[in-house]
């Protein structure tokens, strides 16, 4: 009997891929470690055009002039490239700010849950002693 791999089709959207993942894929391709088709199979990316889009946005190839980016560029090209980088960094900043906001809210809710649990069950969940106090307590216990 032959073993058949189950093909799992999962429809994905661009939002499913993190920025770091996209940059990692682009780097792997540009370093020649893997082809775009192999990336599709390896990571379950639906379409090669998705990867080509990432290469156009984040890669080191000048797609408009079909030249490697290490070729001398005109000042206009450099400005356009820097503007694109600024837009990308602004998007990343906004995303990270949203993550920080959510993390802060989670921390507040977590604190509230601990407060409720301490009150409800009348137990101390948080340690109230500072590091100096705990060292002093250990030293006192060792002396006894």
């Amino acid at each position: 009997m032959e073993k058949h791999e189950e093909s799992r089709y999962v429809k994905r959207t661009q939002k499913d891929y993190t920025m770091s993942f996209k940059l990692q894929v682009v780097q792997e391709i540009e370093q020649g470690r893997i082809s775009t088709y192999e990336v599709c199979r390896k990571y379950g990316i639906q379409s090669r055009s998705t990867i080509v889009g990432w290469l156009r946005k984040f890669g080191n190839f000048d797609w408009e002039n079909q030249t490697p980016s290490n070729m001398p560029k005109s000042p206009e090209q450099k400005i356009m490239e820097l503007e694109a980088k600024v837009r990308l960094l602004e998007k990343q900043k906004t995303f990270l700010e949203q993550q920080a906001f959510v993390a802060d809210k989670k921390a507040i809710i977590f604190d509230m849950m601990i407060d409720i649990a301490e009150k409800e069950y009348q137990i101390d969940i948080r340690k109230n002693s500072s590091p100096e106090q705990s060292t002093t307590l250990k030293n006192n216990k060792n002396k006894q």
Side-chain angles (χ1 to χ4, degrees), residues 34-46:
I34 193 168
S35 74
T36 53
Y37 292 105
E38 290 168 339
V39 167
C40 287
R41 285 194 306 269
K42 180 179 177 182
Y43 296 113
I45 298 171
Q46 249 182 317

Side-chain angles (χ1 to χ4, degrees), residues 16 20 25 28 41 50 53-54 60 62-63 68 77 79 82-83 91-92 97 114-115 120-121 128 140 143:
D16 289 339
S20 61
V25 168
E28 284 183 38
R41 285 194 306 269
T50 300
W54 298 346
N60 291 321
D62 186 351
W63 289 86
Q77 285 175 315
I79 289 171
L82 290 171
E83 286 173 343
K91 284 181 186 179
Q92 289 174 334
E97 285 172 343
I114 290 174
D115 290 340
E120 186 75 23
Y121 297 106
N128 293 328
N140 287 342
K143 289 178 185 176

Side-chain angles (χ1 to χ4, degrees), residues 69-123:
S69 67
N70 57 1
M71 299 290 286
K73 294 179 182 173
S74 71
E76 293 81 14
Q77 285 175 315
K78 290 178 183 176
I79 289 171
M80 288 175 57
E81 202 173 86
L82 290 171
E83 286 173 343
K85 285 182 180 181
V86 166
R87 284 192 299 274
L88 175 63
L89 290 170
E90 285 172 344
K91 284 181 186 179
Q92 289 174 334
K93 178 182 172 261
T94 302
F95 175 73
L96 292 172
E97 285 172 343
Q98 289 171 345
Q99 281 186 320
F101 178 78
V102 169
D104 287 345
K105 294 299 177 195
K106 285 181 180 180
I108 291 168
I109 292 170
F110 184 68
D111 277 343
M112 291 170 62
M113 290 173 58
I114 290 174
D115 290 340
I116 292 168
E118 285 180 333
K119 188 176 181 180
E120 186 75 23
Y121 297 106
Q122 295 156 357
I123 56 171

